């Protein structure tokens, strides 16, 4: 298969990491699927399996992720988060808070086909309480469309009354508004909320909730305001700690590389005064690090 510089000798793939790096990171996911199909047609073997037999560690995990269609990748990450040793709430929060309604509906279909179960059933089996309720609402992928001018002030007042304006918290009200209103509508509600209370909605959520529910609500708010800024913050958190959170770093770089990476880079530079490229370079090494840098695409 000289066209793609991936070839076999004695039925074994010859590994040239630099070629793999350049080939996979410079192509779109659709092109990678074409390469995978052409390889199987030429050699009667699955390219991903062949690569896995030759690679290892984080680089192998990253290459497999790059070779997976985006919706299938999200479905597999959710399945892993639910079926592993303990539930990885952070993965559930990241994917369900940041994906569009259309993407969530596609994820549900692919999850059933490729993971052999119903996503909502698996989530309700592994979560509980208000955290579970908001996840299930997000899983419906049925946010309101557009802006309802008549509801902006009403929603802001209801959020204030449900939190800062009373003893105790009406969590149901927060869940209903955050889970069902469009992002455009929510941004206007958050502005009205600040005018009303003098505080950002995030301050109210942090003061009124805790744990995974707090993290989910904050993620929904941040994604409503700016998905790229949300991922810039998540990337910073994955690296600015004792030990890199490679799974989060890899998942974001793979899933956003063809979506909004330029915007994420710009937000990262604005928020942290450093380029995402240089931060990744300082925190990673080897072929794995090189591949992430190719996905990042520039030093800003």
């Amino acid at each position: 298969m000289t066209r793609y510089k991936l070839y076999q000798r004695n039925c074994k793939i010859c590994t040239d990491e630099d070629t793999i790096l350049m080939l996979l990171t410079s192509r779109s996911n659709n092109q990678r699927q074409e390469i995978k199909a052409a390889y199987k047609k030429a050699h009667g073997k699955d390219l991903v399996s062949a690569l896995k037999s030759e690679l290892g560690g984080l680089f192998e995990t990253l290459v497999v992720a790059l070779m997976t269609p985006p919706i299938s990748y999200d479905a597999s990450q959710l399945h892993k988060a639910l079926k592993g040793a303990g539930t990885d709430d952070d993965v559930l929060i990241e994917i369900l808070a940041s994906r569009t309604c259309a993407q969530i509906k596609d994820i549900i279909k692919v999850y059933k086909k490729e993971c052999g179960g119903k996503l909502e059933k698996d989530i309700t089996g592994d979560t509980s309480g208000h955290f579970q309720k908001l996840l299930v609402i997000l899983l419906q992928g049925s946010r309101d469309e557009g802006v309802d001018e008549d509801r902006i002030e009403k929603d802001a007042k209801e959020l204030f009354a449900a939190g800062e304006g009373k003893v105790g918290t009406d969590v149901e009200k927060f869940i209903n508004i955050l889970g069902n209103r469009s992002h455009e509508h929510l941004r206007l509600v958050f502005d009205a909320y600040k005018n009303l209370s003098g505080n950002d909605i995030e301050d109210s959520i942090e003061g009124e909730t805790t744990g995974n529910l707090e993290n989910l609500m904050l993620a929904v708010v941040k994604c409503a305001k700016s998905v790229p800024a949300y991922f810039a913050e998540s990337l910073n958190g994955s690296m600015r700690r004792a030990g890199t959170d490679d799974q989060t770093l890899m998942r974001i770089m793979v899933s956003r590389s063809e979506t909004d990476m330029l915007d994420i880079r710009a937000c990262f530079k604005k928020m942290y005064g450093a380029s995402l490229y240089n931060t990744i370079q300082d925190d990673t090494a080897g072929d794995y690090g090189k591949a992430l840098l190719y996905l990042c695409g520039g030093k800003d």
Side-chain angles (χ1 to χ4, degrees), residues 119-228:
L119 181 53
E120 183 173 329
K121 181 179 179 181
D122 287 348
I123 285 176
T124 55
D126 262 42
T127 60
S128 61
H130 290 114
F131 177 62
Q132 178 194 96
K133 185 167 186 176
L134 183 50
L135 286 175
V136 171
I137 289 175
L138 295 175
L139 199 58
Q140 305 314 301
S142 57
R143 285 187 179 278
D144 301 337
E145 295 183 4
V147 174
D148 185 344
E149 297 285 350
D150 296 332
R151 288 200 62 89
I152 295 171
E153 289 292 334
K154 184 173 185 295
D155 283 344
K157 290 177 180 178
E158 287 184 357
L159 286 173
F160 179 77
E164 294 181 71
K166 64 175 293 184
V167 177
T169 308
D170 184 353
V171 178
E172 297 282 343
K173 185 62 67 176
F174 274 84
I175 289 174
N176 180 55
I177 292 174
L178 294 180
N180 288 301
R181 304 293 188 267
S182 72
H183 283 178
E184 298 90 339
H185 182 90
L186 285 175
R187 287 194 289 272
L188 295 173
V189 171
F190 299 155
D191 289 341
Y193 184 93
K194 187 165 186 176
N195 290 333
L196 177 68
S197 73
N199 296 316
D200 290 324
I201 187 68
E202 292 96 326
D203 296 329
S204 176
I205 291 171
E206 289 171 351
E208 301 291 335
T209 60
T210 59
N212 52 16
L213 176 62
E214 176 187 350
N215 293 337
L216 177 56
M217 284 188 174
L218 288 174
V220 170
V221 168
K222 289 172 183 177
C223 286
K225 288 185 173 183
S226 170
V227 171

Side-chain angles (χ1 to χ4, degrees), residues 3 35 38 47 55 88 104 107 113 117 131 134 137 163-164 167 182 186 198 208 210 218 227 245 256 264 280 284 297:
R3 176 185 172 190
I35 292 169
L47 177 56
L55 305 174
D88 190 338
I104 288 174
I107 288 168
K113 180 180 179 181
F131 177 62
L134 183 50
I137 289 175
E164 294 181 71
V167 177
S182 72
L186 285 175
E208 301 291 335
T210 59
L218 288 174
V227 171
D245 181 355
R256 311 311 294 187
I264 291 171
I280 292 172
T284 60

Side-chain angles (χ1 to χ4, degrees), residues 3-295:
R3 176 185 172 190
Y4 298 117
K5 297 183 181 178
L6 287 170
Y7 54 95
Q8 288 186 323
R9 182 179 298 145
N10 297 326
C11 296
K12 187 175 183 180
I13 192 167
C14 293
T15 312
D16 178 345
E17 280 82 359
D18 286 336
T19 298
I20 293 170
L21 275 170
M22 289 298 296
L23 174 66
L24 298 186
T25 58
S26 63
R27 302 301 196 274
S28 68
N29 193 277
N30 283 339
Q31 288 173 320
R32 291 182 208 123
Q33 302 314 310
E34 292 175 359
I35 292 169
K36 185 163 63 173
Y39 184 91
K40 191 165 189 177
K41 182 178 180 181
H43 301 288
K45 293 182 67 175
D46 179 59
L47 177 56
V48 175
S49 297
L51 288 169
K52 287 173 69 175
S53 71
E54 292 295 312
L55 305 174
L58 291 170
F59 185 48
E60 175 194 331
T61 305
L62 179 56
V63 166
V64 172
L66 288 170
M67 294 301 297
T68 307
I71 297 298
S72 294
Y73 182 64
D74 280 348
S76 70
Q77 292 299 295
L78 288 169
H79 186 256
K80 180 181 176 183
L82 291 163
K83 297 304 180 181
T87 307
D88 190 338
D89 291 335
D90 290 342
V91 175
L92 303 184
I93 290 169
E94 176 192 303
I95 293 177
L96 294 184
S98 65
R99 300 313 190 251
T100 66
C101 293
Q103 287 171 332
I104 288 174
K105 289 178 180 178
D106 287 340
I107 288 168
I108 291 170
K109 294 176 185 176
V110 171
Y111 187 95
K112 183 176 183 180
K113 180 180 179 181
E114 298 182 358
C115 303
K118 293 183 177 181
L119 181 53
E120 183 173 329
K121 181 179 179 181
D122 287 348
I123 285 176
T124 55
D126 262 42
T127 60
S128 61
H130 290 114
F131 177 62
Q132 178 194 96
K133 185 167 186 176
L134 183 50
L135 286 175
V136 171
I137 289 175
L138 295 175
L139 199 58
Q140 305 314 301
S142 57
R143 285 187 179 278
D144 301 337
E145 295 183 4
V147 174
D148 185 344
E149 297 285 350
D150 296 332
R151 288 200 62 89
I152 295 171
E153 289 292 334
K154 184 173 185 295
D155 283 344
K157 290 177 180 178
E158 287 184 357
L159 286 173
F160 179 77
E164 294 181 71
K166 64 175 293 184
V167 177
T169 308
D170 184 353
V171 178
E172 297 282 343
K173 185 62 67 176
F174 274 84
I175 289 174
N176 180 55
I177 292 174
L178 294 180
N180 288 301
R181 304 293 188 267
S182 72
H183 283 178
E184 298 90 339
H185 182 90
L186 285 175
R187 287 194 289 272
L188 295 173
V189 171
F190 299 155
D191 289 341
Y193 184 93
K194 187 165 186 176
N195 290 333
L196 177 68
S197 73
N199 296 316
D200 290 324
I201 187 68
E202 292 96 326
D203 296 329
S204 176
I205 291 171
E206 289 171 351
E208 301 291 335
T209 60
T210 59
N212 52 16
L213 176 62
E214 176 187 350
N215 293 337
L216 177 56
M217 284 188 174
L218 288 174
V220 170
V221 168
K222 289 172 183 177
C223 286
K225 288 185 173 183
S226 170
V227 171
Y230 167 74
F231 280 115
E233 182 180 347
S234 297
L235 285 168
N236 185 66
S238 74
M239 293 180 281
R240 304 288 186 173
R241 59 174 68 188
T244 306
D245 181 355
D246 288 298
Q247 296 306 314
T248 296
L249 173 58
M250 196 182 321
R251 187 174 59 251
I252 295 174
M253 294 303 293
V254 169
S255 64
R256 311 311 294 187
S257 61
E258 296 180 43
T259 307
D260 50 8
M261 186 54 65
L262 285 174
D263 293 330
I264 291 171
R265 281 165 45 187
C267 287
F268 193 96
K269 185 69 178 284
K270 181 179 180 180
M271 293 164 69
Y272 303 107
S275 78
L276 178 59
Y277 186 99
N278 288 341
T279 305
I280 292 172
Q281 191 172 44
D282 291 342
D283 235 56
T284 60
D287 293 324
Y288 165 68
K290 289 180 187 176
L292 290 174
L293 293 176
Y294 279 126
L295 292 176

